[in-house]
Amino acid sequence: MVTIPAAEVQIGSSEEHMDGLTSVQHYGREWFEDESPQHRRAVATFAIDTYPVTNGEYLAFTEATGHRTAAELRGWGLVYGASYWEEREGACWRRPAGPGDSVQDRLDHPVVHVGHADALAYAAWAGKRLPTEAEWEYAAHGPQWRCWPWGAEWGPGFANCAEHWSGTAISDFAAWRSWWARRRAEHGETPATTPVGAFSPTGDSPFGVADLAGNVAEWTATTYHLYDRDRSYDPVYTMAAGRYMVVRGGSWKDFRFQVRTSERIAVDPVYSSFALGFRCAADLPLGSSPCAFS
């Protein structure tokens, strides 16, 4: 784990950044409006996992506890098919793409198909917790706000996302669909995750935390809320407030604008997919649990 010092930090995106986003990709400003207004937040000292929780670590947890994820219990997991999300029978963290897939050769990749309760169960077993949204963002951009963990300039070799695999910029959904069709034809629907830390140190945050942009999106401990009650937001965001949990970081299937440090997604806590994982955090000073930094 990496110790993150206490600070008062900027959370969310500036108006200038939001305007810039609108001009370079196909989503309207309302898509990102919940990142505003940018504001300062006091964050106490904490520790955060250097990497997302891996398949191997989750395997150790399930073997020790007998835990079965929600996807395993219901018998299906969400996988993106030819044109949209599908409820794939048999898909779960052990078989992310469904029957015929296996994580046995990907034990150092991030675990996926875990719901919020599944992530909480692992964290409790490990003597840790999930990071808050503010902790996650602070760990990602450091004391000074930045667009991506490494800085303001995008590079395809900095993070595991769709543009890394395509080798070209993806600025609209049509370009993304074209990439996904090629990817799916060659590799099927097996997640394009990579071993944790594969993009280090180039893609690391100023604190040396890896994979905070791409690879897998990550659950936080924070219930989704809007930063300013008096601001006008899309009704979808208003309906999600107080009901959903915040997910951060973007994944291997997203393009560069979706793996920014301040991008936030409201997600139903029972949701899981082949692109969603998590990492843990811990309070400092360290408690008495012998597993807290295991």
Side-chain angles (χ1 to χ4, degrees), residues 145-160:
W145 185 89
R146 51 175 67 185
C147 182
W148 292 288
W150 55 85
E153 299 297 323
W154 174 258
F158 284 62
N160 177 2

Side-chain angles (χ1 to χ4, degrees), residues 24-27 154 161-180 182 252-258:
V24 295
Q25 48 73 58
H26 69 297
Y27 289 115
W154 174 258
C161 67
E163 281 159 298
H164 166 72
W165 299 110
S166 72
T168 59
I170 298 177
S171 297
D172 57 46
F173 191 54
W176 184 91
R177 286 177 64 103
S178 177
W179 163 75
W180 177 242
R182 297 193 304 271
W252 57 268
K253 62 181 284 296
D254 295 317
F255 53 93
R256 66 188 184 277
F257 302 112
Q258 296 170 301

Side-chain angles (χ1 to χ4, degrees), residues 210-228:
D211 292 346
L212 288 166
N215 214 356
V216 292
E218 301 178 12
W219 289 111
T220 73
T222 300
T223 301
Y224 180 81
H225 64 280
L226 298 169
Y227 289 155
D228 184 351

Side-chain angles (χ1 to χ4, degrees), residues 8 43 68 121 137 185 224 247 285-286:
E8 186 176 275
V43 181
R68 297 185 67 201
E137 182 172 330
Y224 180 81
V247 165
L286 185 62

Side-chain angles (χ1 to χ4, degrees), residues 1-4 46-54 57 122-123 126-131 136 139 196 205 207-212 218 278-282 291-294:
M1 301 185 84
V2 175
T3 297
I4 310 296
F46 68 102
I48 193 167
D49 287 349
T50 306
Y51 310 111
V53 173
T54 65
E57 290 169 328
Y122 175 94
K128 305 179 186 180
R129 58 175 176 80
L130 296 182
W136 192 101
V196 297
S205 82
F207 295 115
V209 185
D211 292 346
L212 288 166
E218 301 178 12
F278 71 104
R279 78 179 68 214
C280 295
C291 297
F293 278 80
S294 60

